[in-house]
Amino acid sequence: MSIKELGIQCIKDEAEALLELIPKMDEGFDRAVELMYRCHGKIIVTGVGKSGHVGAKIAATLSSTGTPSFFINPLDVFHGDLGVMTSDDVVLAISNSGQTDELLRFIPLVLQMEIPIIAMSGNPQSLLAKYATCHLNVSVRHEADPMNLAPTSSAIAEMAMGDALAVALIKKRNFQPQDFAQFHPGGELGRRLLTTAQDVMRTVDMPIISPDMHLGDAIILVSKGKLGLGVAESEGRVVGLITDGDIRRAMEKWRAKFFDRTVADIMTTTPKTVHPQTRISEIQRIMNKYKIHSVLVVDNEHRLLGVVDHYSCEV
């Protein structure tokens, strides 16, 4: 096999391993989600090696979606980290074999504190599964690497199961985009979810035109506005919109008679509008749905306050 073919086969093997997880989703998954949902403390995720790296990612995903979680290395438990755990917590222990020595030495301490254990492993008969409150089966037939040794498919399966838990909890908690933004205030995603139309809208040099204006005069104002559009107003209220595309199509249609036509002949009478408090994420959804590059920001009386274009949304 060529290098490229090896890469393709790896992806195929891992994709197949993920699909094979579906029949293994039993009542243990429902029990795990319920335990995490009703947890009054924290979800403590633990694992060793590659499973530990996966566990850290799962803990981060849970925390950012409304389920307080953090990752702990089972080796650190024996050096003071046990003090962070309480009987209100739930432990999610990850081990592909279910027989990892460092993890098994940690389990009796958790049982002694009467903390529920959700085990995620590829061996339903393992000691980890035996002593867990519920078990999530993430077994794979083989790893994706040619030697069937490196944690590839198994790590992907663990991560996917962690995402499945997080997604189920998002739905169960009715977690909303604004909730997500509160946990991501510093990143691009947080800015997009928290920023509103009034924060980014253009408010100066608006290309205002009237419905009875001849298109020749309207072109000049549209060009000066540099937004690729003109906003038609009547008695101070928005009544229509023309775009560069509308103008080009009108030129092709009427040719020499183009300059005899007015804005009212080509304007869209129901342009997409939003209120000042509309979030950028919603504006992007509107733009994508209707394949437009700008929306008008209006007040309750349909008076123009500003324009948000797709460049403004790149906050």
Side-chain angles (χ1 to χ4, degrees), residues 229-243:
L229 56 81
V231 183
E233 286 189 352
S234 178
E235 298 181 355
R237 290 177 172 80
V238 175
V239 294
L241 176 77
I242 64 172
T243 66

PDB file of all heavy atoms in Angstrom, residues 229-243:
ATOM      1  N   LEU A 229     -25.210  48.165  -1.519  1.00  0.00           N
ATOM      2  CA  LEU A 229     -26.664  48.223  -1.392  1.00  0.00           C
ATOM      3  C   LEU A 229     -27.117  49.658  -1.172  1.00  0.00           C
ATOM      4  O   LEU A 229     -26.329  50.550  -0.863  1.00  0.00           O
ATOM      5  CB  LEU A 229     -27.148  47.332  -0.241  1.00  0.00           C
ATOM      6  CG  LEU A 229     -26.555  47.585   1.162  1.00  0.00           C
ATOM      7  CD1 LEU A 229     -27.234  48.755   1.886  1.00  0.00           C
ATOM      8  CD2 LEU A 229     -26.684  46.342   2.022  1.00  0.00           C
ATOM      9  N   GLY A 230     -28.431  49.853  -1.357  1.00  0.00           N
ATOM     10  CA  GLY A 230     -29.076  51.119  -1.043  1.00  0.00           C
ATOM     11  C   GLY A 230     -30.351  50.836  -0.277  1.00  0.00           C
ATOM     12  O   GLY A 230     -31.094  49.912  -0.621  1.00  0.00           O
ATOM     13  N   VAL A 231     -30.594  51.617   0.779  1.00  0.00           N
ATOM     14  CA  VAL A 231     -31.770  51.405   1.623  1.00  0.00           C
ATOM     15  C   VAL A 231     -32.837  52.425   1.247  1.00  0.00           C
ATOM     16  O   VAL A 231     -32.620  53.641   1.358  1.00  0.00           O
ATOM     17  CB  VAL A 231     -31.422  51.540   3.117  1.00  0.00           C
ATOM     18  CG1 VAL A 231     -32.655  51.244   3.970  1.00  0.00           C
ATOM     19  CG2 VAL A 231     -30.280  50.604   3.486  1.00  0.00           C
ATOM     20  N   ALA A 232     -33.980  51.935   0.787  1.00  0.00           N
ATOM     21  CA  ALA A 232     -35.076  52.827   0.394  1.00  0.00           C
ATOM     22  C   ALA A 232     -35.899  53.189   1.618  1.00  0.00           C
ATOM     23  O   ALA A 232     -36.356  52.309   2.355  1.00  0.00           O
ATOM     24  CB  ALA A 232     -35.955  52.148  -0.653  1.00  0.00           C
ATOM     25  N   GLU A 233     -36.085  54.486   1.829  1.00  0.00           N
ATOM     26  CA  GLU A 233     -36.862  54.966   2.971  1.00  0.00           C
ATOM     27  C   GLU A 233     -38.009  55.858   2.489  1.00  0.00           C
ATOM     28  O   GLU A 233     -37.889  56.564   1.492  1.00  0.00           O
ATOM     29  CB  GLU A 233     -35.986  55.756   3.937  1.00  0.00           C
ATOM     30  CG  GLU A 233     -35.046  54.913   4.771  1.00  0.00           C
ATOM     31  CD  GLU A 233     -34.378  55.737   5.864  1.00  0.00           C
ATOM     32  OE1 GLU A 233     -34.551  56.974   5.855  1.00  0.00           O
ATOM     33  OE2 GLU A 233     -33.684  55.148   6.712  1.00  0.00           O
ATOM     34  N   SER A 234     -39.093  55.795   3.253  1.00  0.00           N
ATOM     35  CA  SER A 234     -40.231  56.678   3.022  1.00  0.00           C
ATOM     36  C   SER A 234     -40.736  57.142   4.376  1.00  0.00           C
ATOM     37  O   SER A 234     -41.017  56.299   5.240  1.00  0.00           O
ATOM     38  CB  SER A 234     -41.337  55.950   2.259  1.00  0.00           C
ATOM     39  OG  SER A 234     -42.463  56.794   2.074  1.00  0.00           O
ATOM     40  N   GLU A 235     -40.778  58.443   4.562  1.00  0.00           N
ATOM     41  CA  GLU A 235     -41.192  59.034   5.834  1.00  0.00           C
ATOM     42  C   GLU A 235     -40.363  58.491   6.995  1.00  0.00           C
ATOM     43  O   GLU A 235     -40.861  58.237   8.098  1.00  0.00           O
ATOM     44  CB  GLU A 235     -42.689  58.784   6.082  1.00  0.00           C
ATOM     45  CG  GLU A 235     -43.583  59.427   5.020  1.00  0.00           C
ATOM     46  CD  GLU A 235     -45.061  59.199   5.296  1.00  0.00           C
ATOM     47  OE1 GLU A 235     -45.370  58.461   6.262  1.00  0.00           O
ATOM     48  OE2 GLU A 235     -45.891  59.749   4.556  1.00  0.00           O
ATOM     49  N   GLY A 236     -39.060  58.299   6.733  1.00  0.00           N
ATOM     50  CA  GLY A 236     -38.138  57.894   7.789  1.00  0.00           C
ATOM     51  C   GLY A 236     -38.142  56.416   8.125  1.00  0.00           C
ATOM     52  O   GLY A 236     -37.438  55.986   9.045  1.00  0.00           O
ATOM     53  N   ARG A 237     -38.902  55.608   7.383  1.00  0.00           N
ATOM     54  CA  ARG A 237     -38.978  54.179   7.652  1.00  0.00           C
ATOM     55  C   ARG A 237     -38.496  53.374   6.441  1.00  0.00           C
ATOM     56  O   ARG A 237     -38.686  53.785   5.301  1.00  0.00           O
ATOM     57  CB  ARG A 237     -40.405  53.772   8.016  1.00  0.00           C
ATOM     58  CG  ARG A 237     -40.837  54.304   9.372  1.00  0.00           C
ATOM     59  CD  ARG A 237     -42.297  53.938   9.657  1.00  0.00           C
ATOM     60  NE  ARG A 237     -42.676  54.260  11.011  1.00  0.00           N
ATOM     61  CZ  ARG A 237     -43.000  55.481  11.436  1.00  0.00           C
ATOM     62  NH1 ARG A 237     -42.997  56.498  10.573  1.00  0.00           N
ATOM     63  NH2 ARG A 237     -43.317  55.693  12.698  1.00  0.00           N
ATOM     64  N   VAL A 238     -37.903  52.241   6.724  1.00  0.00           N
ATOM     65  CA  VAL A 238     -37.388  51.373   5.668  1.00  0.00           C
ATOM     66  C   VAL A 238     -38.551  50.752   4.900  1.00  0.00           C
ATOM     67  O   VAL A 238     -39.442  50.144   5.482  1.00  0.00           O
ATOM     68  CB  VAL A 238     -36.499  50.255   6.258  1.00  0.00           C
ATOM     69  CG1 VAL A 238     -36.076  49.280   5.153  1.00  0.00           C
ATOM     70  CG2 VAL A 238     -35.274  50.842   6.940  1.00  0.00           C
ATOM     71  N   VAL A 239     -38.524  50.914   3.565  1.00  0.00           N
ATOM     72  CA  VAL A 239     -39.578  50.321   2.729  1.00  0.00           C
ATOM     73  C   VAL A 239     -39.022  49.388   1.660  1.00  0.00           C
ATOM     74  O   VAL A 239     -39.779  48.703   0.968  1.00  0.00           O
ATOM     75  CB  VAL A 239     -40.430  51.423   2.049  1.00  0.00           C
ATOM     76  CG1 VAL A 239     -41.207  52.223   3.086  1.00  0.00           C
ATOM     77  CG2 VAL A 239     -39.555  52.331   1.181  1.00  0.00           C
ATOM     78  N   GLY A 240     -37.696  49.351   1.524  1.00  0.00           N
ATOM     79  CA  GLY A 240     -37.141  48.478   0.503  1.00  0.00           C
ATOM     80  C   GLY A 240     -35.625  48.501   0.501  1.00  0.00           C
ATOM     81  O   GLY A 240     -34.978  49.236   1.254  1.00  0.00           O
ATOM     82  N   LEU A 241     -35.063  47.680  -0.387  1.00  0.00           N
ATOM     83  CA  LEU A 241     -33.616  47.552  -0.480  1.00  0.00           C
ATOM     84  C   LEU A 241     -33.243  47.184  -1.915  1.00  0.00           C
ATOM     85  O   LEU A 241     -33.918  46.373  -2.549  1.00  0.00           O
ATOM     86  CB  LEU A 241     -33.132  46.443   0.465  1.00  0.00           C
ATOM     87  CG  LEU A 241     -31.638  46.103   0.429  1.00  0.00           C
ATOM     88  CD1 LEU A 241     -30.847  47.159   1.191  1.00  0.00           C
ATOM     89  CD2 LEU A 241     -31.399  44.720   1.047  1.00  0.00           C
ATOM     90  N   ILE A 242     -32.184  47.812  -2.434  1.00  0.00           N
ATOM     91  CA  ILE A 242     -31.632  47.382  -3.714  1.00  0.00           C
ATOM     92  C   ILE A 242     -30.163  47.024  -3.494  1.00  0.00           C
ATOM     93  O   ILE A 242     -29.492  47.597  -2.629  1.00  0.00           O
ATOM     94  CB  ILE A 242     -31.762  48.460  -4.819  1.00  0.00           C
ATOM     95  CG1 ILE A 242     -30.932  49.710  -4.466  1.00  0.00           C
ATOM     96  CG2 ILE A 242     -33.217  48.811  -5.047  1.00  0.00           C
ATOM     97  CD1 ILE A 242     -30.851  50.722  -5.600  1.00  0.00           C
ATOM     98  N   THR A 243     -29.670  46.089  -4.282  1.00  0.00           N
ATOM     99  CA  THR A 243     -28.283  45.668  -4.178  1.00  0.00           C
ATOM    100  C   THR A 243     -27.583  45.843  -5.516  1.00  0.00           C
ATOM    101  O   THR A 243     -28.232  46.120  -6.541  1.00  0.00           O
ATOM    102  CB  THR A 243     -28.197  44.182  -3.766  1.00  0.00           C
ATOM    103  OG1 THR A 243     -28.734  43.386  -4.837  1.00  0.00           O
ATOM    104  CG2 THR A 243     -28.981  43.923  -2.493  1.00  0.00           C
TER     105      THR A 243
END
